[in-house]
Amino acid sequence: MTTASTPESFASAPPKSVELFERARKVIPGGVSSPVRAFRAVGGTPRFIQRGAGQHVWDADGQRYLDFVGSWGPLILGHAHPEVVAAVTKAVSNGMTFGAPCAPEVELAERITSMYPGLEQVRFVSSGTEAVMSAIRLARAVTGRSRIVKFAGCYHGHADHLLVAAGSGLATFGRPSSAGVPEEFTRCTSVLPLDDETALQELFRLEGDRIAAVIIEPVPGNHGLLLQRREFLQALRDATRKHGALLIFDEVISGFRVGPGGAADWLGIIPDMATFGKVIGGGMPVGAFGASRKIMGRLAPDGDTYQAGTLSGNPVAMTAGITTLDILRRESAWLKLEALGTKLESMLEPVLAEAPLPIHLVRLGSMFWLSLHEGGAPRTGAPLSAAAAAKFAELFHLMMEQAVYLPPSAYEVLFLSLAHTEDDLQTLADTLREAFAAMTT
Ligand SMILES: *Cc1c(COP(=O)(O)O)cnc(C)c1O
């Protein structure tokens, strides 16, 4: 393990990552399995990560970084939590998938339905995208309607009909949508602005009885952190109920992250359906969608709405999820993370106030965002100016040179985990202060 690297050694991209990226680009589009990993928004060579432990990751050259990406959300316990690793290892040795029911999926479903308000049943899938896709199909089946409403700045995975005005990946690339999605597919999708009751009422007045479902991230965390007013979400709850449309909370990022009952419990607003991913898989590929027994009863094999998955509910992924949720509850994790978040605020705010650029901390529990928007904490998915994006890119690289790993896009949120300590927060604050002093743009 390499330690005490000088800033200079980080300044040029580490050789093994450079070499791997060259090879990767030959055989994988853009050299990555998911676009934002390619560092396009900040430039430079992505680090190929070799291992992680607690709050740290090590790249292929053995450089250690203090990590605030947390694999984009799942790693609420930090990397390679020993108990999760032990449980998963044991599960693996008994076989990885059977394509038959297994006890761990019952155990995880029991935990999720008992922790999340209003949920009676869940079906497991292998990603957040799949969870949302399946929930939408079910909502259309249950209501017999076709129209779906989403909000600009909310991301719900990459299913065709939701790939309009989505989150960071698309905002980063300045594309309103994606090639390969026929207009016919998105014709049934309406996009509303966040934080706007008037636009919401107007849409429901015009086509309320044709809307199958409204899907929203109750804590939008894919275009920065766009904290919503509770009244707005309540208006959404009221409008959907009045018009017989289903309200879907996409809690893939917020579920079991902002609290044991997700954003729904924290807000006291109960959706008709919810989607999950990230934290519930404890680092393994898991998604889930759930609702009342009545709604879920429309799914095959009981009902007429088809949905399936070869690896869905496999014992290894389920075990990672079960162990993660059990540790979170046992450790009173959400209280600890909130305390850590409060500390973060008191340490960062004075540093940000003296920064040579507008930069604000937006936080909910263990999710936070360094917003470069002039106005502070936006509530709608407005794009960043080119100047602000360039400033973020410089800041990102200055931080990376000092071994602090931020997400490589100004639109991405950062995550605290149970593995982060007050010393780590101090390191973040100190490194930011030094980076601000060194900034030239
Ligand atoms: C990450 C995310 C998704 C997509 O999940 P994948 O596992 O990447 O397919 C969907 N919705 C929200 C809110 C997310 O944060």
Side-chain angles (χ1 to χ4, degrees):
M1 191 192 317
T2 313
T3 51
S5 301
T6 61
E8 289 72 26
S9 71
F10 280 103
S12 55
K16 286 197 175 129
S17 287
V18 171
E19 189 223 310
L20 281 165
F21 196 42
E22 262 173 40
R23 280 169 53 199
R25 272 184 301 187
K26 292 200 181 101
V27 289
I28 302 172
V32 290
S33 297
S34 199
V36 76
R37 298 179 196 172
F39 277 26
R40 291 290 162 84
V42 293
T45 305
R47 301 302 185 265
F48 280 65
I49 304 300
Q50 195 164 54
R51 75 182 185 96
Q55 68 276 56
H56 294 111
V57 290
W58 284 259
D59 72 15
D61 288 276
Q63 303 282 17
R64 190 183 81 164
Y65 304 86
L66 177 57
D67 180 32
F68 290 99
V69 179
S71 193
W72 309 90
L75 301 181
I76 194 167
L77 302 177
H79 293 266
H81 189 285
E83 262 181 75
V84 178
V85 171
V88 165
T89 305
K90 188 164 167 243
V92 165
S93 66
N94 287 324
M96 289 183 244
T97 171
F98 310 116
C102 63
E105 61 190 332
V106 184
E107 285 167 28
L108 186 54
E110 283 169 351
R111 282 165 177 75
I112 292 173
T113 52
S114 73
M115 291 169 81
Y116 194 88
L119 224 59
E120 290 176 328
Q121 293 193 326
V122 285
R123 169 71 57 88
F124 291 110
V125 291
S126 298
S127 70
T129 294
E130 244 188 297
V132 169
M133 201 179 77
S134 311
I136 298 273
R137 182 181 305 143
L138 183 56
R140 284 175 161 153
V142 166
T143 57
R145 303 172 178 181
S146 53
R147 183 152 295 280
I148 296 295
V149 180
K150 80 173 287 286
F151 292 88
C154 284
Y155 178 65
H156 303 292
H158 65 91
D160 282 339
H161 49 277
L162 291 171
L163 219 42
V164 278
S168 61
L170 297 156
T172 299
F173 302 123
R175 280 195 217 133
S177 184
S178 165
V181 179
E183 234 183 75
E184 291 88 332
F185 284 28
T186 53
R187 210 170 275 160
C188 284
T189 308
S190 299
V191 182
L192 283 175
L194 286 163
D195 191 42
D196 187 341
E197 279 96 329
T198 311
L200 172 73
Q201 309 298 0
E202 184 61 10
L203 180 73
F204 267 90
R205 195 176 60 77
L206 292 174
E207 27 184 305
D209 57 356
R210 284 191 284 148
I211 297 171
V214 177
I215 184 163
I216 189 168
E217 292 178 74
V219 179
N222 281 284
H223 198 286
L225 189 55
L226 309 175
L227 295 179
Q228 298 300 294
R229 289 175 295 114
R230 192 188 175 283
E231 304 78 64
F232 172 66
L233 295 165
Q234 186 62 54
L236 192 55
R237 177 64 285 186
D238 296 343
T240 44
R241 191 167 278 142
K242 182 170 162 213
H243 291 268
L246 299 180
L247 177 61
I248 306 175
F249 273 2
D250 182 353
E251 298 234 32
V252 170
I253 208 165
S254 53
F256 307 95
R257 161 69 68 177
V258 302
D265 196 39
W266 174 70
L267 290 158
I269 298 176
I270 319 286
D272 301 298
M273 303 178 78
T275 55
F276 306 100
K278 298 191 173 118
V279 168
I280 62 158
M284 299 289 286
V286 179
F289 61 104
S292 64
R293 242 169 238 124
K294 183 159 176 258
I295 290 175
M296 296 302 278
R298 280 297 288 270
L299 268 189
D302 286 344
D304 56 0
T305 311
Y306 191 67
Q307 190 280 328
T310 300
L311 297 174
S312 296
N314 74 75
V316 181
M318 297 293 103
T319 298
I322 293 166
T323 313
T324 299
L325 292 187
D326 286 353
I327 295 170
L328 288 172
R329 287 196 289 192
R330 186 190 73 209
E331 300 289 321
S332 304
W334 297 283
L335 289 176
K336 284 186 186 160
L337 289 167
E338 175 59 25
L340 206 59
T342 308
K343 265 274 159 10
L344 176 81
E345 249 162 43
S346 64
M347 286 175 173
L348 283 200
E349 266 162 6
V351 177
L352 300 186
E354 285 173 18
L357 66 158
I359 182 165
H360 306 270
L361 176 66
V362 185
R363 180 186 73 88
L364 181 66
S366 55
M367 286 171 83
F368 65 104
W369 181 38
L370 301 173
S371 166
L372 270 65
H373 282 273
E374 288 285 347
R379 286 200 287 258
T380 60
L384 270 181
S385 69
K391 282 188 174 135
F392 179 81
E394 187 182 14
L395 177 65
F396 170 84
H397 284 290
L398 287 165
M399 298 298 284
M400 185 74 106
E401 282 166 23
Q402 300 300 328
V404 176
Y405 200 127
L406 307 183
S409 160
Y411 293 103
E412 296 292 347
V413 294
L414 291 76
F415 295 99
L416 296 174
S417 73
L418 272 193
H420 286 94
T421 65
E422 264 184 62
D423 280 353
D424 297 326
L425 304 185
Q426 193 62 57
T427 301
L428 176 63
D430 293 346
T431 312
L432 277 170
R433 188 185 289 112
E434 288 161 24
F436 291 145
M439 280 181 82
T440 57
T441 54

